[in-house]
Amino acid sequence: MSIEYSPPIGTFFLHSAETTYAVKVLAQGYLTHLYWGPKVSAQELDFVLQLRDRAFSPNPDGLGREFSLDTLPLEYPVYGNTDFRSPALEVFQPEDGSRLVDLRFSDHRITAGKPSLLGLPSTWVENESEAETLIIGLEDSKLDLRVELSYTTFTDHPAITRSARIVHRGTSPLTLRRLLSCSVDFPSSHTDWSFLHLFGAHVRERELACTGLRPGVQSIESRRGASSHHHNPFFALTELEANENHGAVYGFNLVYSGNFLGLAECDADYGCRAQLGINPFDFSWTLEPGAEFQAPEAVLVFSQEGLGGMSRAYHRLYRKNLCRGEWRDKPRPIVVNNWEATYFDFNAEKLNEIATAAADLGIEMFVLDDGWFGHRDDEHSSLGDWFVHRKKLPGGLEDVAARILEKGLSFGLWFEPEMISPDSELYRAHPDWCLHVPGRSRSEGRHQLVLDFSREDVRENIYQQMKQILASAPITYVKWDMNRNMTEIGSAILEPGRQQETAHRYILGLYELMEWLTREFPHILFEGCAGGGGRFDPGILYYMPQIWTSDNTDAISRLKIQYGTTVVYPWSAISAHVSVVPNHQVGRVTPLKTRGDVAFTGAFGYELDVSLLGPEDREEVKRQTALYKQVRELLLHGDLYRLCSPFDSNEAAWMVVSADRDEALVTHVTMLSTPNAPQRFLRLKGLDAAAKYKVDNLVRQGDALMNIGLPIPYPSADFVSCQWRLSRTVESVGGS
Ligand code: DGJ
């Protein structure tokens, strides 16, 4: 890893072990993008900038007909002086109505390590030797505006993080309308590539979508105030021939949990501009003289080993350099959560019954979900009233927790801190504490409104309430839920001209509250959730190392949901539970073994009334919990290889391999059984070809497992799964 600047050619080279990213300052001060891809040596790459006369591409600075920003690959494009493609920055100057920006190179600095971003989550390093950071300063002398582009390269990761910060040094207020985190101009050779992204809905999160790049703009975005179930803040540009294992893939992921925009614009010359950042839709920000604005971080990953290579690069980076706190590396407890077991209909006795059965089954953590507070017996009330529902739990949380701990389990609790029910004491006392626009009705979602987290007094109130509850009982796990998106976005404390700041201020406030609580309670394992996976993004992972992946707990639906999620996010972050059949979301009946095999992620558990299990099922659950305890370190820290996609076939398979390649866990699921199906073999990946592995009492050579595969047992019914545990052995190869 190194960042080099070569003054004679005005070029910055950012190298990782396998990649190079190059940026050039032109004589006029314009910053151009030269290259990003497989490693090239630091040399003059100016031939990338081919100039020739083009009609209808105007020329700045009297530079002659051959020079136009419209036809050059730019590093941080702005609007108004000859580039007509999508800008990264837009401003409005109320004083004279001007929207022009003209950024020229000013200075640069290269530092060891990686500075954090003020008020925003970002990747981080433990030692300065792990990363190097380049800051390029660009300035508009007329506006007296400075933009700092920051780039970090890592010793151990083929990733570059980018962000932008704007500093307003002018003397009158300026309106910021758009400040994207990154923009990359690819040459025309990329136009026969594909645009891959993750889209979905509640209980159908993160389906893979991939379409060819075409002239014009392809984009993904969220306008919902959360990163959303609908589009993840991620896209990749992939070489046409690229697949899971081979080919060039460029990934873009935003460390942000609110409205975002990701786009690829193929221009008239078949070049492609890729951009990612806060969504300019319904966004503006007033910069008073002297004020700054920090854009979130974008994480860019290049891989020549297909989508699988890109995913593993993201996984390794996020496992080590995004997640924080003591739970980053600690095996996660096996959870039983009472939501699908009881919904709102529980009392202390019922909880005790579930906990008693759970303890006997090897489960380690009881998480009490929605309904324990205020007078909440259904969705209609009490969000914001974070005190115990005494009618349901007369002995309080102290009593519930004491009975749980007595059985050897730990105790966890659900909150939905960002919400307020119109039927709540909090709302009656503070009707202006929710997002709203005066004179307009307040649309409810799940009978609730969104608290205005842009307000410090609101955050402080929720912080104090949560702190009191968390200190009142031995609570070592918190599920942080968020069950509706924003409407009527307005804040009672912001002046009219600043109302479009509300959604971003909310996210900054959310991060601040998460920071307060995770700092105050470092031993608590926090789990993110937003109606399942409605905010599965790197911003949340910075505070909470695992996220409830979907409200859909059906094992077969989860194949796609989890497969899609792993395109960017590590196995350790994916929270998955075994639930009852017929499944509550889709009505499907699947074997308990399959439900367990599919839920064996980094954060495993149960979401059913375990006190109602019959003897056979109890034995199966005991087998699962015992096995999970043996393999959870592997599932937490190992590398994930996707073997078979549920999007393309009737089966799904994946495996997790330890860093030293000594151990692996392989899972295969057949969806529908096929009559007279041919014998199939599952070819493994990531093993040591020269090593011998013990598989089910047989010994197999790594190369045979990867080139021939494991014979898949003939499926005797629908929804059958197989799981194999592999461990390196010194025994000789043999057996049948
Ligand atoms: C949505 C979550 O995703 C569920 O797991 C559950 O916690 C409910 N909310 C509770 O209201």
Side-chain angles (χ1 to χ4, degrees):
M1 171 231 22
S2 71
I3 298 179
E4 293 170 28
Y5 178 54
S6 171
I9 53 173
T11 304
F12 296 94
F13 295 93
L14 293 85
H15 298 295
S16 74
E18 287 144 28
T19 65
T20 298
Y21 189 105
V23 173
K24 180 182 170 73
V25 185
L26 300 187
Q28 305 80 14
Y30 295 118
L31 198 63
T32 54
H33 177 81
L34 292 184
Y35 177 72
W36 178 29
K39 194 159 191 162
V40 297
S41 50
Q43 55 182 301
E44 206 189 289
L45 299 175
D46 291 16
F47 60 89
V48 169
L49 310 174
Q50 297 279 336
L51 300 180
R52 65 189 161 85
D53 188 358
R54 313 265 182 125
F56 288 90
S57 285
N59 323 103
D61 303 335
L63 280 168
R65 289 187 56 128
E66 292 193 344
F67 189 96
S68 177
L69 298 176
D70 200 27
T71 56
L72 281 171
L74 302 176
E75 189 58 16
Y76 202 71
V78 291
Y79 173 71
N81 59 347
T82 77
D83 182 21
F84 296 101
R85 294 164 292 175
S86 175
L89 167 67
E90 277 182 276
V91 300
F92 174 73
Q93 205 179 8
E95 219 179 31
D96 64 4
S98 160
R99 284 93 57 219
L100 298 195
V101 192
D102 186 358
L103 290 178
R104 309 288 176 116
F105 177 76
S106 158
D107 54 273
H108 83 277
R109 61 180 192 277
I110 297 171
T111 56
K114 183 173 192 296
S116 55
L117 303 187
L118 192 67
L120 284 166
S122 60
T123 53
W124 56 281
V125 289
E126 257 148 336
N127 300 304
E128 287 204 333
S129 60
E130 287 177 53
E132 221 175 344
T133 298
L134 163 69
I135 309 277
I136 298 180
L138 304 171
E139 290 186 2
D140 181 314
S141 53
K142 174 153 192 322
L143 290 174
D144 212 355
L145 191 69
R146 178 176 165 84
V147 174
E148 290 192 347
L149 303 180
S150 100
Y151 302 79
T152 298
T153 55
F154 300 83
T155 319
D156 295 334
H157 307 288
I160 295 177
T161 60
R162 285 192 58 179
S163 65
R165 189 169 78 102
I166 195 161
V167 185
H168 177 38
R169 294 168 169 168
T171 48
S172 55
L174 190 70
T175 308
L176 183 61
R177 288 181 166 170
R178 179 183 186 108
L179 184 78
L180 298 184
S181 299
C182 70
S183 182
V184 180
D185 278 359
F186 291 94
S188 57
S189 51
H190 289 58
T191 45
D192 55 352
W193 286 40
S194 295
F195 184 80
L196 181 142
H197 62 105
L198 302 169
F199 85 107
H202 179 234
V203 300
R204 190 163 45 76
E205 293 92 339
R206 289 171 293 284
E207 292 192 13
L208 261 182
C210 190
T211 51
L213 273 184
R214 49 182 161 67
V217 178
Q218 269 156 290
S219 65
I220 49 163
E221 66 181 316
S222 170
R223 299 176 184 170
R224 296 172 171 265
S227 50
S228 89
H229 299 88
H230 301 76
H231 288 286
N232 199 263
F234 160 81
F235 66 91
L237 300 181
T238 73
E239 199 176 23
L240 214 51
E241 308 78 50
N243 59 25
E244 178 64 22
N245 307 310
H246 307 286
V249 176
Y250 293 87
F252 296 79
N253 192 202
L254 193 66
V255 187
Y256 190 61
S257 309
N259 290 342
F260 70 90
L261 171 69
L263 68 86
E265 177 179 13
C266 290
D267 61 34
D269 290 327
Y270 302 102
C272 173
R273 174 167 291 175
Q275 298 185 319
L276 185 61
I278 291 180
N279 200 341
F281 172 82
D282 198 28
F283 167 82
S284 74
W285 196 276
T286 301
L287 287 167
E288 294 294 340
E292 300 180 3
F293 184 92
Q294 175 68 58
E297 177 165 289
V299 181
L300 281 55
V301 165
F302 172 73
S303 167
Q304 270 184 301
E305 287 166 30
L307 205 57
M310 181 208 71
S311 300
R312 280 185 293 283
Y314 273 118
H315 297 174
R316 288 178 194 142
L317 178 70
Y318 287 176
R319 278 201 310 257
K320 183 163 176 267
N321 299 100
L322 177 65
C323 295
R324 300 181 302 164
E326 64 185 61
W327 285 100
R328 180 188 76 166
D329 300 323
K330 238 164 79 174
R332 313 286 163 72
I334 301 175
V335 162
V336 64
N337 176 303
N338 72 308
W339 178 241
E340 286 198 22
T342 65
Y343 296 104
F344 293 103
D345 185 16
F346 61 83
N347 56 26
E349 281 324 303
K350 183 70 223 168
L351 301 182
N352 193 45
E353 250 170 66
I354 297 176
T356 309
D360 179 52
L361 296 169
I363 292 170
E364 301 160 304
M365 167 75 67
F366 184 100
V367 178
L368 174 54
D369 211 280
D370 196 353
W372 60 266
F373 51 93
H375 62 277
R376 188 154 164 103
D377 293 322
D378 55 37
E379 297 174 350
H380 288 83
S381 81
S382 304
L383 294 167
D385 292 348
W386 300 108
F387 47 81
V388 176
H389 188 329
R390 291 276 164 182
K391 275 199 188 142
K392 273 185 185 173
L393 307 172
L397 292 176
E398 303 85 313
D399 170 61
V400 174
R403 289 160 85 178
I404 286 169
L405 264 62
E406 194 173 275
K407 299 173 191 27
L409 272 75
S410 308
F411 178 51
L413 198 61
W414 179 98
F415 286 92
E416 195 174 357
E418 299 155 68
M419 297 293 152
I420 183 163
S421 305
D423 177 7
S424 66
E425 290 184 17
L426 192 69
Y427 190 75
R428 282 184 281 276
H430 302 285
D432 64 334
W433 274 18
C434 63
L435 295 178
H436 67 282
V437 175
R440 298 277 179 189
S441 68
R442 301 174 179 196
S443 304
E444 293 177 16
R446 214 192 186 207
H447 311 287
Q448 63 201 49
L449 300 165
V450 183
L451 276 172
D452 181 0
F453 264 28
S454 72
R455 294 177 61 150
E456 189 164 3
D457 52 353
V458 174
R459 300 195 295 275
E460 180 63 31
N461 177 290
I462 298 300
Y463 172 59
Q464 291 303 340
Q465 289 199 59
M466 288 179 75
K467 212 166 96 164
Q468 207 171 330
I469 287 289
L470 293 176
S472 73
I475 296 164
T476 48
Y477 187 109
V478 163
K479 178 177 173 186
W480 182 305
D481 206 349
M482 192 286 287
N483 283 304
R484 62 155 293 182
N485 291 141
M486 296 178 189
T487 54
E488 293 96 22
I489 299 174
S491 172
I493 58 159
L494 287 177
E495 59 198 56
R498 285 185 174 269
Q499 287 295 318
Q500 284 189 311
E501 297 179 13
T502 310
H504 179 61
R505 285 185 183 276
Y506 176 101
I507 297 295
L508 294 177
L510 171 69
Y511 290 150
E512 187 179 67
L513 182 61
M514 287 180 170
E515 184 68 41
W516 290 344
L517 285 161
T518 49
R519 232 186 237 178
E520 176 92 23
F521 298 97
H523 306 309
I524 290 182
L525 169 55
F526 283 84
E527 177 179 70
C529 175
R535 216 166 45 184
F536 208 121
D537 61 60
I540 299 298
L541 282 181
Y542 177 78
Y543 301 98
M544 310 187 177
Q546 60 185 57
I547 301 176
W548 180 232
T549 314
S550 176
D551 275 349
N552 188 339
T553 55
D554 167 56
I556 300 305
S557 310
R558 276 284 183 133
L559 295 175
K560 282 187 180 169
I561 294 168
Q562 292 176 187
Y563 187 101
T565 304
T566 65
V567 167
V568 195
Y569 306 105
W571 203 237
S572 58
I574 293 178
S575 185
H577 294 170
V578 171
S579 62
V580 80
V581 289
N583 173 265
H584 288 188
Q585 293 79 40
V586 296
R588 195 167 2 242
V589 176
T590 52
L592 181 54
K593 173 166 186 310
T594 304
R595 283 176 271 151
D597 287 355
V598 173
F600 257 44
T601 63
F604 172 66
Y606 294 83
E607 186 96 8
L608 48 80
D609 187 343
V610 285
S611 71
L612 302 178
L613 292 174
E616 223 177 278
D617 284 351
R618 273 208 303 276
E619 285 317 301
E620 171 58 15
V621 170
K622 282 185 186 171
R623 184 197 67 80
Q624 291 174 355
T625 57
L627 175 61
Y628 188 77
K629 287 171 192 170
Q630 293 169 27
V631 296
R632 63 178 151 193
E633 287 271 3
L634 165 67
L635 298 178
L636 191 64
H637 305 296
D639 277 330
L640 179 84
Y641 291 84
R642 294 180 294 257
L643 305 177
C644 233
S645 167
F647 291 100
D648 308 334
S649 68
N650 182 36
E651 54 195 326
W654 60 94
M655 65 188 285
V656 182
V657 185
S658 61
D660 56 12
R661 296 186 291 169
D662 281 0
E663 265 197 282
L665 187 79
V666 183
T667 307
H668 178 275
V669 181
T670 305
M671 288 179 246
L672 298 180
S673 76
T674 316
N676 199 11
Q679 176 60 53
R680 306 244 308 119
F681 292 86
L682 182 63
R683 286 203 277 164
L684 307 189
K685 290 181 201 162
L687 300 174
D688 179 351
K692 296 178 177 59
Y693 290 92
K694 195 152 184 257
V695 196
D696 293 341
N697 298 325
L698 297 172
V699 177
R700 294 275 178 254
Q701 187 80 22
D703 56 10
L705 289 167
M706 293 194 287
N707 293 312
I708 302 169
L710 285 167
I712 302 171
Y714 186 76
S716 50
D718 291 345
F719 317 130
V720 168
S721 67
C722 306
Q723 206 161 55
W724 297 268
R725 215 176 144 189
L726 275 63
S727 49
R728 196 191 281 265
T729 177
V730 288
E731 288 171 47
S732 56
V733 173
S736 53

